[in-house]
Amino acid sequence: MKTYGHFSKMIPLSVFLLLTGFSFDLSAQYLPEEPVTIDVDFNNTVGDMDPVWAFWGHDEPNYTYMKDGQKLLTELAELSPVPVYMRVHSLLVTGEGTHALKWGSTNAYTEDANGNPVYDWTIIDKIFDSYIERGMKPMAQIGFMPKALSSRPEPYRHYWKPGARYEEIYTGWAYPPNDYEKWAELVYQWVKHSVDRYGKEEVESWYWEVWNEPNIGYWQGTLEEYIKLYDYSADAVKRALPTAKIGGPETTGPGWDKAADYLRKFLDHVSHGKNYATGETGSPLDFITFHAKGNPKVVDGMVQMNMGAQLNDISKGFEIVASYPEFKDLPIIIGESDPEGCAACSEADYPHNAYRNGTMYSSYTAASFARKYALADHFDVNFLGAVTWGFEFEDQPWYAGFRDMATNGVDKPVLNVFRMFGMMQGNRVSVSGNMAYDFEAVRDESVRKAVPDVNAIATFGEHSATVMIWNYHDNNNLDVAPALVELSLENLPNTKVLMQHYRVDQEHSNSYTYWKSIGSPQQPTAEEIAALERAGQLDLYTSPEWVIPDNEMKLSIELPRQAVSLLRFTW
């Protein structure tokens, strides 16, 4: 049995095991010292369950329309009840659709022999068409610099490989324009073309943003030059479509004081600075963006995550936005929100990224997103979305340890947590109990105590209620006792409801475990690929069951380390 106890009756797990003839060695610490109690009151609303998780992004735009990219886009669209937003780099980079790790191109802008602009939207259209036909939407990044407009065009194309110095990627595409008027006209023509192709109402629903991480090497200009770029870009977007949404500055994590200062200076400028493009006071700003990253390391031969670092970035960013009365209610999109900083850095070259294939990534995702909601509540800000910077990498070895949602078209465990989120609708409701960590503890200390972070997030909708529970620790150690979770669920409908229990763990919703069980093949057969695809889907942990909660329901669940469970009740 996977769940123990029924409604108001509970059987202690140790008694259950003895009654069923199961023997165990207490000296092996199979059971934790005491159960974790989690109390959910479905009648006590704490906030909306906004789909902040329905945002993805990646460096390589041309993967969008390749075979595995198309397959993953479809899966992302299908797991979400709302349109998924996609953010990609290099949409204006020069090149004939060439692609590589951390590189892409569209050739949207070139010039003829006389220096006149030549616009070609073929590849950008191919990318955006892939979104629109699936009901998805672009978070359209205005960047990077076309070769003909770069103030330092050579060298332009980089050839970075994992293991090389990261700074090698910052070539001619990262420099300010040699002509801001030509740049502005490029932006204007792009937005105008988008309206002509997709319609005004569709493009009004997009988010246009200027550049990426201008406070580090992605922008080889000064802060003032970025602000000038923003002013010209924002003005061009609004001239083409006055109702379009424009934002920025997509700085790195504000937990770093220099990034925090950059964000503040940007907000100061758009609030009351002199606009470089119009000469007026201030600039258009419809949403605010910054990034948030964790910092895993290998400690004593084991990967140790640092969720606290990522949450600290988010906390500082929310705090900064909340300090501006004129911007406090603007939507915030965390433009990249991840356990660390380089999706294309594989496990082979960066051992601290060994968390990515298995359940460490999935349990981290559940625990961290719950705390993002809590931080937004704490600072009372308008949290719109958090972009998971992880898509897929074409034609790479199986389970190479990139930060992606799928490998060679097979879904990883982390994607199944997003499938769980896709079933959580309505309002977030109160969760209490004897859990060892709240959002402030994780932000300030990460999850380093002897006890793991066993906690939950719950929702109540018109015809459904859900509880997501996780067992997470920063140390990537599976050889520990499962947690016994005693759930008390109050104020479910006093009627017959269908209970479904979904699980991501070592044995469920886990293609990586299955791949290892068949010998870790790098050339799997067609039959093995089909089995891997099945293993990558979200599994039910137990058979669905019709129950009558009678206002209160008590369950006891054994939850292994790094496991995530979703209990879903529908009526």
Side-chain angles (χ1 to χ4, degrees), residues 416-554:
N416 285 312
V417 171
F418 288 105
R419 289 189 169 105
M420 289 177 172
F421 276 126
M423 291 188 277
M424 301 185 75
Q425 300 178 39
N427 296 317
R428 286 178 290 121
V429 298
S430 69
V431 174
S432 59
N434 68 344
M435 294 86 74
Y437 301 85
D438 58 17
F439 77 93
E440 290 175 306
V442 180
R443 178 194 64 188
D444 298 340
E445 308 166 19
S446 205
V447 185
R448 303 287 173 83
K449 300 175 184 176
V451 293
D453 175 31
V454 180
N455 213 313
I457 184 172
T459 65
F460 190 84
E462 187 176 357
H463 297 291
S464 66
T466 58
V467 184
M468 179 188 286
I469 316 158
W470 57 87
N471 181 349
Y472 170 79
H473 198 280
D474 275 356
N475 291 333
N476 190 9
N477 182 8
L478 288 169
D479 189 23
V480 291
L484 177 60
V485 182
E486 296 181 350
L487 275 174
S488 175
L489 309 177
E490 298 182 11
N491 292 308
L492 281 166
N494 188 17
T495 185
K496 207 168 189 180
V497 301
L498 179 64
M499 181 176 71
Q500 295 167 296
H501 184 173
Y502 297 90
R503 170 67 66 84
V504 179
D505 62 17
Q506 296 305 303
E507 299 175 359
H508 301 85
S509 316
N510 193 329
S511 64
Y512 182 52
T513 297
Y514 180 76
W515 179 72
K516 290 189 294 182
S517 76
I518 60 174
S520 307
Q522 281 300 327
Q523 294 181 322
T525 65
E527 292 78 9
E528 288 172 332
I529 291 173
L532 283 163
E533 289 177 328
R534 290 192 297 271
Q537 298 301 302
L538 181 60
D539 279 349
L540 278 168
Y541 186 57
T542 59
S543 297
E545 181 181 357
W546 287 97
V547 296
I548 303 177
D550 195 23
N551 293 323
E552 183 178 17
M553 184 174 187
K554 292 186 181 294

Side-chain angles (χ1 to χ4, degrees), residues 55-66 69-70 72-73 76 85-91 100 102-104 127 131 136 139 141 144 209 212 218 335-336 338 343-344 387-394 403-405:
F55 291 74
W56 274 271
H58 53 113
D59 290 78
E60 303 84 2
N62 307 98
Y63 289 168
T64 301
Y65 50 79
M66 298 177 74
Q70 291 279 289
L72 182 55
L73 278 183
L76 295 180
Y85 281 86
M86 297 296 300
R87 175 180 184 258
V88 293
H89 293 338
S90 302
L91 287 172
K102 300 194 73 65
W103 178 262
I127 294 167
Y131 304 154
M136 307 170 88
M139 188 174 172
Q141 185 183 130
F144 296 120
E209 56 161 3
N212 174 71
Y218 279 89
E336 296 178 23
D338 305 290
V387 177
T388 294
W389 199 255
F391 185 57
E392 65 91 20
F393 293 86
E394 292 281 336
R403 191 173 69 236
D404 48 14
M405 301 293 101

Side-chain angles (χ1 to χ4, degrees), residues 75-144:
E75 291 186 302
L76 295 180
E78 289 175 349
L79 68 79
S80 175
V82 300
V84 165
Y85 281 86
M86 297 296 300
R87 175 180 184 258
V88 293
H89 293 338
S90 302
L91 287 172
L92 296 177
V93 167
T94 302
E96 303 295 335
T98 50
H99 59 85
L101 295 179
K102 300 194 73 65
W103 178 262
S105 58
T106 69
N107 230 36
Y109 181 93
T110 54
E111 292 181 355
D112 64 18
N114 297 318
N116 297 312
V118 177
Y119 303 109
D120 184 350
W121 310 113
T122 304
I123 295 177
I124 288 182
D125 287 347
K126 195 173 182 179
I127 294 167
F128 283 11
D129 286 355
S130 295
Y131 304 154
I132 303 303
E133 67 189 17
R134 292 170 171 82
M136 307 170 88
K137 295 180 183 294
M139 188 174 172
Q141 185 183 130
I142 302 172
F144 296 120

